[in-house]
Amino acid sequence: NLVIRNGADSSSSAFDCGGHAVTFLLAGGNFLVGGGAGNGLAGIHVDPSSSLLISNVTADASLCVAGMISSAGIGGNCYETNGLVRIAGGIIEAYNTGADYDGAAAIGGGYDGGGGTIIIDGGTVTATGGPYSPAIGPGATGTNSSRYPGCTVTIHGGNVTAIGSTGCAGIGGCVKSGDVTILITGGT
């Protein structure tokens, strides 16, 4: 069981992939919260040069991740597109904990940062976007979405619950976000 909860005075994500291909193999209950005041930081930071694979070792393994203001629970920080995020197993809960107009996805891009590639192959995934935030997809943008890369969300399996906020999809785009391609071939 791992608990990392950074406070408002912290200048780091709970975990940062740091430009690497990272695999999380979950066992037990795990809880990660990004830090930072003002523009916060992602719970698990997956920058555009990184990739993250999450799977489980035990059937009841869980991961609860929250990003702070304007940053994704799993994905990009504020003004940043996410790298490849792939979920293959486990009980995953992801949140964006911002207030007012936040715009970061629970899983995906940070505010004003577009979106990258998100693949869900298995597990039970619950994603909840904060104010003006999609659950799974690109972050909302404050300016012109044409300068942001599109986002690709592919779901091959698992049980996915995605709850978007005002003006945003559960899975897909948000206020002024770039294009989103969604492919669902399995799962519930």
Side-chain angles (χ1 to χ4, degrees):
N1 296 335
L2 176 67
V3 176
I4 300 175
R5 182 182 177 102
N6 291 332
D9 58 347
S10 172
S11 61
S12 63
S13 295
F15 185 87
D16 192 327
C17 293
H20 300 283
V22 175
T23 300
F24 272 27
L25 295 175
L26 303 174
N30 304 279
F31 183 75
L32 305 174
V33 178
N39 291 331
L41 298 164
I44 299 176
H45 181 218
V46 187
D47 67 83
S49 65
S50 299
S51 66
L52 173 67
L53 169 64
I54 300 172
S55 193
N56 58 316
V57 175
T58 59
D60 63 346
S62 64
L63 174 64
C64 181
V65 183
M68 294 301 280
I69 299 169
S70 299
S71 295
I74 301 171
N77 285 331
C78 186
Y79 308 120
E80 186 177 57
T81 296
N82 61 284
L84 171 63
V85 174
R86 186 170 204 147
I87 299 172
I91 302 165
I92 312 299
E93 294 181 41
Y95 301 90
N96 166 281
T97 60
D100 299 324
Y101 181 87
D102 189 272
I107 301 173
Y111 167 74
D112 212 12
T117 299
I118 302 157
I119 301 169
I120 300 174
D121 295 314
T124 300
V125 179
T126 303
T128 305
Y132 295 95
S133 303
I136 301 171
T141 64
T143 56
N144 182 354
S145 65
S146 64
R147 70 183 181 136
Y148 299 100
C151 179
T152 302
V153 179
T154 304
I155 300 174
H156 295 298
N159 184 349
V160 180
T161 302
I163 304 165
S165 185
T166 305
C168 301
I171 300 171
C174 198
V175 179
K176 299 183 185 176
S177 62
D179 294 336
V180 180
T181 301
I182 302 169
L183 175 64
I184 301 175
T185 62
T188 58

